[in-house]
Each structure stands twice: as structure tokens, then as C-alpha cells.
């Protein structure tokens, strides 16, 4: 079964190399969670880039 992680606070929360799909929100406040839900259900595009590198997994600027 596919697994997706969601970082609600820091990009370092994504340090799960066995998971292939990660989403960064950086906030657990309602506007951010509503935007996450819209994106998950295809009502809004995912956008953005990592503001830091997560060696050895992702370089700074990684994203869609």
C-alpha cells in the first residue's frame, strides 16, 4: 500500500527514505491544513521547494 508523509512543522520531519512521496506544509494551523486537503483532493496544485537540504535524500530546492 502506498504511503505519503506530511511534514507539518519542519522539513526534517521527512527523513523517511523508504517512503517515496512526501508533502511539506510547515504549519498545523487551519489555513495550512485546508490548503493541504485541497491539494490532496486535486482542487489546488502542489507547489513549492525545500528551503533546506536533507542529505542524502533531497537537495535544497527539491520539489515539483
Amino acid at each position: 500500500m502506498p504511503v505519503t508523509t506530511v511534514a507539518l512543522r519542519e522539513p526534517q520531519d521527512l527523513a523517511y527514505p523508504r517512503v517515496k512521496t512526501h508533502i511539506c506544509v510547515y504549519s498545523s494551523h487551519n489555513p495550512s491544513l485546508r490548503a493541504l486537503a485541497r491539494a490532496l483532493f486535486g482542487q489546488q496544485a502542489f507547489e513549492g521547494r525545500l528551503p533546506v537540504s536533507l542529505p542524502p535524500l533531497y537537495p535544497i530546492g527539491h520539489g515539483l
Side-chain angles (χ1 to χ4, degrees):
M1 173 184 280
V3 173
T4 299
T5 63
V6 177
L8 293 177
R9 297 189 68 167
E10 300 178 1
Q12 289 79 2
D13 293 342
L14 301 178
Y16 297 96
R18 294 176 48 187
V19 176
K20 296 188 187 289
T21 305
H22 306 284
I23 301 167
C24 296
V25 179
Y26 306 128
S27 169
S28 60
H29 292 108
N30 284 333
S32 298
L33 296 178
R34 283 193 294 272
L36 170 63
R38 285 192 304 272
L40 287 172
F41 288 98
Q43 300 168 350
Q44 172 177 320
F46 284 101
E47 55 185 66
R49 306 273 180 217
L50 276 177
V52 297
S53 63
L54 299 174
L57 302 174
Y58 306 104
I60 191 168
H62 182 80
L64 296 174

